[in-house]
Amino acid sequence: AQSVTQLGSHVSVSEGALVLLRCNYSSSVPPYLFWYVQYPNQGLQLLLKYTSAATLVKGINGFEAEFKKSETSFHLTKPSAHMSDAAEYFCAVSPGANDYKLSFGAGTTVTVRA
Amino acid sequence: KAGVTQTPRYLIKTRGQQVTLSCSPISGHRSVSWYQQTPGQGLQFLFEYFSETQRNKGNFPGRFSGRQFSNSRSEMNVSTLELGDSALYLCASSTGLAGYNEQFFGPGTRLTVL
């Protein structure tokens, strides 16, 4: 079964500093990978997705992620954190084109210090 | 384009009761998925419907059921509520044509079981 592991349940960064959220996946076939963000009392919003077109994926709000097959990783980064980036972030995997369920990681809460 | 809407947003029930949650997908989307979010178990897939047919089902007891109508609106039902059913229930819609299609999430229904 496909799954994702997010390293670090809580990350604290200073405003303007690099944001790095780690996600590793396990999959017997090339997966489809996603990063979602959840603000308090809201649903999930897609930041970006990997569907094998390019290993470096750019998303919304200045986020990007790099798919590394050799490391089975899909880490999310943002060069300069903003206060509005404070939220919970989820990495998710969809095993294949004909599988329509998402398996989510446990989530990483990001706190941004002024 | 209107987003995914879920009703009600908040619900309080007592053990043993049953509850029905509703989800209206984005216009044109034929796939609706349901997820349960709890602090302990995180985000877990419940089931997915496409054109009124259940295509995928997660590992939940039979007390959890759902259906989809011809207009793609979906309902999920939980019978004989238990304290552990307290959670945020998220609905997501997509075109449903491939596993890598973006799922758009609603704001969720927060269910509290007393």
Side-chain angles (χ1 to χ4, degrees):
Chain A
Q2 287 72 19
S3 66
V4 291
T5 301
Q6 291 184 242
L7 299 175
S9 60
H10 198 145
V11 168
S12 180
V13 299
S14 297
E15 193 173 20
L18 171 72
V19 179
L20 170 60
L21 305 182
R22 301 178 188 274
C23 173
N24 287 88
Y25 69 90
S26 66
S27 175
S28 58
V29 297
Y32 300 110
L33 294 160
F34 307 80
W35 275 100
Y36 280 87
V37 62
Q38 185 177 35
Y39 299 100
N41 299 315
Q42 294 187 27
L44 279 68
Q45 180 183 13
L46 181 69
L47 285 174
L48 48 81
K49 66 179 180 181
Y50 168 76
T51 58
S52 77
T55 57
L56 183 61
V57 183
K58 294 188 183 298
I60 63 172
N61 301 339
F63 285 93
E64 64 180 37
E66 187 172 8
F67 174 76
K68 291 187 176 181
K69 185 178 179 180
S70 61
E71 299 177 8
T72 60
S73 68
F74 189 57
H75 301 331
L76 181 72
T77 60
K78 181 174 180 177
S80 177
H82 190 272
M83 298 299 287
S84 61
D85 295 326
E88 189 161 19
Y89 293 78
F90 294 93
C91 183
V93 62
S94 173
N98 296 317
D99 197 313
Y100 305 92
K101 71 176 189 182
L102 292 174
S103 296
F104 287 89
T108 299
T109 299
V110 172
T111 303
V112 182
R113 306 186 304 272
Chain B
K1 208 178 212 181
V4 178
T5 58
Q6 293 187 245
T7 56
R9 291 292 311 277
Y10 301 91
L11 207 49
I12 299 176
K13 292 286 187 179
T14 57
R15 278 181 301 174
Q17 288 187 308
Q18 75 165 16
V19 67
T20 299
L21 312 181
S22 181
C23 172
S24 292
I26 291 171
S27 178
H29 284 187
R30 295 162 63 190
S31 169
V32 173
S33 299
W34 288 89
Y35 295 85
Q36 181 196 65
Q37 185 176 24
T38 61
Q41 299 298 316
L43 279 154
Q44 293 186 286
F45 172 78
L46 280 156
F47 28 65
E48 185 252 356
Y49 288 86
F50 180 81
S51 294
E52 302 180 68
T53 300
Q54 186 181 87
R55 271 197 310 201
N56 287 265
K57 188 177 189 307
N59 190 25
F60 277 81
R63 299 186 297 107
F64 292 82
S65 63
R67 59 177 175 169
Q68 187 180 34
F69 302 95
S70 58
N71 62 358
S72 293
R73 190 178 69 84
S74 177
E75 290 181 345
M76 68 163 282
N77 183 78
V78 187
S79 63
T80 319
L81 284 166
E82 302 177 358
L83 295 179
D85 297 333
S86 294
L88 180 67
Y89 290 88
L90 293 164
C91 162
S93 77
S94 76
T95 61
L97 300 178
Y100 49 75
N101 290 149
E102 177 181 355
Q103 293 191 24
F104 294 82
F105 284 80
T109 294
R110 185 163 297 281
L111 172 65
T112 302
V113 182
L114 303 176

